Structures are given as structure tokens and as C-alpha cells.
Amino acid sequence: MYTTTQIIQGFLTGSLTREEAMHKLHMSSYSQLLNALADRGVEPPKPPPEQVRAELEAARPILRMMEANRHGS
């Protein structure tokens, strides 16, 4: 049996996935896990830089289209 603190530490160090931590803490949403971190004054782990770059590249065409539509109105 693990304590809440041990489970959260496992999530923060990467030894537990988000889903594993949520399951062990009997949480139904990621927002509940984020709230548990905030209650302890802890920031959630940041995604790897390559994931951030990939997400930005995927969003860039949409953002450009939105910007063009804003100026065209």
C-alpha cells in the first residue's frame, strides 16, 4: 500500500504514468491529479521538449489560418 505522497512522487519522477497515478489515487480525471499537485504546491511535470515542438508544429497552420481570418474580417 502506497501513500498519496508516494504515488504523487512516483508520478513526478516518471516511475508512474498519469493514468497509473490517477488509478492508484482513485481519480477519474487529470484535473483531479493537477489539483492534488497544486494542493501540495507542486507544479505538474513538463512534457518533453520534442513533444512540445511537435505540438507547436501541428498547431502552426491552424494559428496562421485563424490569424488570416481575423485580418480578413
Side-chain angles (χ1 to χ4, degrees):
M1 186 69 116
Y2 294 101
T3 66
T4 300
T5 300
Q6 289 171 321
I7 295 167
I8 288 175
Q9 271 309 115
F11 170 64
L12 292 172
T13 61
S15 62
L16 288 176
T17 66
R18 169 195 321 195
E19 291 78 15
E20 291 169 331
M22 289 169 46
H23 177 76
K24 290 179 183 294
L25 294 169
H26 307 284
M27 296 176 170
S28 59
S29 69
Y30 185 48
S31 63
Q32 290 176 307
L33 182 55
L34 293 176
N35 286 334
L37 295 176
D39 287 346
R40 288 165 175 74
V42 178
E43 289 189 33
K46 297 191 182 350
E50 54 276 357
Q51 179 183 342
V52 173
R53 276 192 290 280
E55 289 176 6
L56 287 172
E57 286 302 313
R60 192 165 299 190
I62 297 166
L63 295 172
R64 284 189 183 127
M65 182 178 64
M66 291 172 63
E67 182 70 14
N69 287 340
R70 188 178 76 137
H71 289 298
S73 300

